[in-house]
Amino acid sequence: MRPQKYQLLSLILPALAAITCLTIALPAHAEQKKPNILLIVSDDTGYGDLGPYGGGEGRGMPTPNIDKMARAGMTFFSFYAQPSCTPGRAAIQTGRIPNRSGMTTVSFPGQGGGLPKAEWTLASVLKQANYRTYFTGKWHLGEADHALPNAHGYDFMEHCFLYHLNAYTYGDPNRFPDMDFKLRLMFNIVTKGSLSGKAGETPKQDWRVNGSYVDTPEKGFVGIPFLDQYVEQSGLKFLEDAARHPDQPFFINVNFMKVHQPNLPAPEFKHKSISKTKYADSIVELDTRIGSLMNKLKELGLEKDTLVFFTTDNGAWQDVYPDAGYTPFRGTKGTVREGGSRVPAIAVWPGKIKDGVRNHDILGGLDLMATFASLAGLALPENDRAGKPIYFDSYDMSPALFGTGKSERNSWFYFTENELAPGAARVGKYKAVFNLRGDDGQATGGLAVDTNLGWKGPDKYVATVPQVFDLLQDPQERYDVFMNNYTEHTWTLITFNAAIRNLLQTYVKYPPRKMQSEIYHGPITLTDYHRFKFVRDALKDEGMKFPKLFGN
């Protein structure tokens, strides 16, 4: 019997081994499947506008769909953007702080240029993993053909808009009757409307955009109130098409135009909020359209294979109150205060991200690049698209998303416009503020109360004695602890200086690109003239010698 038993086992064991290997291999193969990615970005949405952040119904603007997302996924409470539209969107697309790409200031009609050809974007990176890529909505990264989505890795862009909403009102005589006729004519000529086109093609203009309640694409004009309707429709159409190609992963970037001022809600959303203001109505519209995309994912059976990430481009723009969002933080869009950069963000992926998680890690829009690349099984490129070395400021958020660990990021740098060294820096729980732009109060101390000047406030550096705040105990930046009558935290500067020094050293090997937008730096003084002459002469005679870089 023993020989027969062993003979039988010799036949059974290989079969069992084969079955075991197959059983083990199947989950491994399933885990290697690349997820679909839906990235939803809104415009100027305030941190305190949405239900998960204490807004919603309590602020007169219910957000049931965004509330549902928060219950089904992860809500981030220390998530950062950049302080204005173009830099914020550049950081999301490239995974690089804006001064590296030159996208540091807001792009306006007629400027041309835009996102450099050599930059990688979320789409061009994901194309390396065979993703189908699609873009719709606000781009705001330049006007030149080389700077558009269909030149930066997106297979197709539909209803792409190149500016902030109020830029489409410049040529409107009803809004600006005092504008010179020739200037109005110029704006009407240079301002591009809705653009669509496949990768490699010259985009076509679907129709022009104005600030009126008019929806007449057949006549060549669609008004601001209706733009997000077209963005939503484009998103839904792509998802339906993607469902017919289940073997190929997709990346779709949906960018709603709302809630940037002027907020003109679509007719069906007028007075639908509790507050019955234009901004509140527009938040209700935004929430409804986001809900439409989420419902379509579920209807098509795509939700379990899709990571959905929602965020906005920058902090609330308090300068335009009451047509503006709310933030519980100090400062506003355009400043290095928390109110300029801390933004809402929610991630949903059924079965992968746990329900109802509240995350407080330091994370930001910069980190979407490394995260999406990681999920696609890609390493970030070492060279830009022109073959030169490139540096990414992006951290993989996967450990935080899936509950396997903390984010590796421990710092955040805040920039405005043409800053090379940051105007503020956060390391751990402490934040140092060097540039008090927008602050019309005392230079330092708890009495330095912002007046929400935003971009209207001048640069006002206090490098020798910065303000220092404990963001865990004092998220509103009300109490400067650098040196007070309780205790002093001058020692934190060692940490800030080390972080900033490391940042500045990256500029040596990876030089920032030329600024892509125009900016007024203030009057040129007599001292500036002679300084310019010295630089010119030095370059002419012997070249320029630079001293070692130091932080603020």
Side-chain angles (χ1 to χ4, degrees):
M1 291 293 293
R2 289 178 71 89
Q4 290 181 350
K5 180 179 180 182
Y6 285 124
Q7 188 177 17
L8 184 62
L9 286 174
S10 68
L11 294 173
I12 294 174
L13 287 176
L16 288 174
I19 294 172
T20 303
C21 289
L22 180 62
T23 306
I24 294 171
L26 285 175
H29 176 72
E31 289 175 1
Q32 292 172 4
K33 183 178 180 181
K34 300 177 180 70
N36 304 316
I37 300 172
L38 166 57
L39 173 60
I40 304 172
V41 182
S42 62
D43 201 0
D44 283 13
T45 306
Y47 187 97
D49 291 338
L50 311 178
Y53 295 89
E57 185 176 353
R59 293 204 54 250
M61 48 191 84
T63 56
N65 294 292
I66 294 174
D67 296 355
K68 183 178 179 181
M69 289 178 69
R71 291 193 299 270
M74 178 175 288
T75 305
F76 300 90
F77 289 86
S78 288
F79 195 90
Y80 289 93
Q82 306 299 314
S84 64
C85 300
T86 297
R89 291 168 187 277
I92 287 173
Q93 289 293 334
T94 66
R96 286 153 50 82
I97 54 178
N99 60 29
R100 297 194 193 276
S101 61
M103 305 300 292
T104 60
T105 60
V106 175
S107 300
F108 281 84
Q111 282 188 327
L115 190 64
K117 294 180 183 179
E119 288 290 329
W120 288 98
T121 64
L122 295 171
S124 58
V125 167
L126 289 174
K127 285 300 294 179
Q128 310 306 303
N130 195 37
Y131 272 70
R132 298 178 72 218
T133 55
Y134 186 89
F135 183 93
T136 182
K138 183 178 179 179
W139 180 243
H140 209 182
L141 296 177
E143 297 174 308
D145 286 350
H146 75 259
L148 301 183
N150 68 333
H152 275 285
Y154 288 95
D155 295 326
F156 194 75
M157 67 178 193
E158 186 172 42
H159 302 311
C160 172
F161 303 100
L162 304 187
Y163 322 106
H164 43 296
L165 272 182
N166 54 309
Y168 294 101
T169 69
Y170 294 159
D172 189 339
N174 294 318
R175 288 180 177 270
F176 304 106
D178 56 334
M179 182 182 290
D180 179 77
F181 170 77
K182 293 181 180 179
L183 182 58
R184 180 180 299 119
L185 180 63
M186 184 276 290
F187 276 124
N188 285 328
I189 291 174
V190 303
T191 305
K192 299 178 181 179
S194 169
L195 297 178
S196 298
K198 295 180 180 179
E201 294 182 350
T202 300
K204 66 177 180 66
Q205 181 169 265
D206 306 305
W207 24 260
R208 303 182 71 84
V209 177
N210 61 27
S212 304
Y213 271 85
V214 54
D215 185 16
T216 55
E218 71 282 358
K219 296 181 181 179
F221 280 96
V222 171
I224 286 173
F226 301 92
L227 298 188
D228 279 346
Q229 163 189 305
Y230 287 91
V231 174
E232 177 191 345
Q233 290 172 357
S234 293
L236 295 176
K237 182 173 67 175
F238 174 83
L239 292 176
E240 290 172 348
D241 182 63
R244 292 191 284 269
H245 302 84
D247 294 332
Q248 185 178 15
F250 66 77
F251 167 56
I252 175 173
N253 188 190
V254 178
N255 296 260
F256 289 111
M257 302 295 285
K258 289 185 171 66
V259 280
H260 194 293
Q261 64 92 14
N263 278 287
L264 302 174
E268 64 269 32
F269 292 98
K270 275 188 172 183
H271 302 158
K272 292 300 182 182
S273 68
I274 299 171
S275 294
K276 297 187 176 7
T277 65
K278 290 180 178 179
Y279 184 86
D281 291 345
S282 296
I283 284 286
V284 172
E285 177 181 350
L286 173 67
D287 177 79
T288 302
R289 299 197 188 283
I290 290 174
S292 179
L293 292 173
M294 298 299 290
N295 290 337
K296 179 60 69 173
L297 274 180
K298 185 173 184 179
E299 173 192 321
L300 295 170
L302 295 171
E303 63 173 346
K304 291 186 178 180
D305 296 321
T306 305
L307 166 65
V308 180
F309 203 99
F310 162 73
T311 189
T312 192
D313 54 356
N314 49 250
W317 191 4
Q318 297 293 288
D319 290 337
V320 294
Y321 180 83
D323 197 18
Y326 167 76
T327 175
F329 304 114
R330 185 173 183 172
T332 176
K333 174 181 176 178
T335 72
V336 296
R337 296 295 191 185
E338 291 296 284
S341 296
R342 203 187 290 204
V343 296
I346 301 172
V348 181
W349 189 359
K352 299 290 186 180
I353 298 175
K354 292 181 179 180
D355 297 352
V357 180
R358 298 161 67 90
N359 181 280
H360 295 274
D361 291 358
I362 301 173
L363 297 165
L366 287 169
D367 300 323
L368 296 177
M369 173 64 85
T371 306
F372 293 173
S374 174
L375 294 176
L378 297 170
L380 290 178
E382 294 183 358
N383 295 317
D384 67 16
R385 296 172 76 188
K388 295 183 179 180
I390 189 170
Y391 187 93
F392 291 94
D393 303 279
S394 190
Y395 287 79
D396 183 4
M397 293 189 289
S398 297
L401 288 175
F402 307 131
T404 60
K406 300 283 288 183
S407 164
E408 291 185 14
R409 179 184 288 286
N410 190 44
S411 63
W412 189 264
F413 300 112
Y414 307 70
F415 298 91
T416 59
E417 297 177 343
N418 67 330
E419 289 177 322
L420 191 61
R426 176 179 179 178
V427 179
K429 69 175 185 174
Y430 289 109
K431 177 179 180 180
V433 178
F434 304 103
N435 180 2
L436 303 186
R437 181 173 192 164
D439 191 332
D440 200 28
Q442 297 296 314
T444 60
L447 295 178
V449 180
D450 291 328
T451 57
N452 291 330
L453 290 175
W455 282 297
K456 291 180 285 187
D459 291 345
K460 188 168 66 176
Y461 287 92
V462 286
T464 54
V465 186
Q467 292 184 337
V468 174
F469 303 96
D470 180 341
L471 290 182
L472 293 186
Q473 297 190 74
D474 179 26
Q476 292 182 314
E477 300 171 84
R478 297 177 64 190
Y479 306 106
D480 177 8
V481 297
F482 182 79
M483 186 175 291
N484 58 26
N485 61 4
Y486 172 68
T487 185
E488 53 89 12
H489 286 72
T490 54
W491 55 266
T492 58
L493 284 190
I494 296 174
T495 304
F496 293 125
N497 288 342
I500 293 171
R501 182 173 61 251
N502 291 338
L503 169 69
L504 294 180
Q505 286 175 343
T506 66
Y507 296 141
V508 178
K509 184 178 179 181
Y510 308 96
R513 303 190 195 277
K514 178 180 177 292
M515 286 180 66
Q516 300 298 308
S517 301
E518 299 172 2
I519 181 174
Y520 177 61
H521 296 285
I524 298 176
T525 65
L526 184 61
T527 304
D528 290 333
Y529 172 82
H530 288 290
R531 184 181 297 120
F532 295 153
K533 185 176 186 303
F534 165 76
V535 171
R536 184 189 62 193
D537 292 344
L539 287 171
K540 178 181 177 182
D541 296 338
E542 58 185 25
M544 179 58 79
K545 297 178 181 178
F546 292 96
K548 291 183 179 179
L549 292 172
F550 292 96
N552 285 321

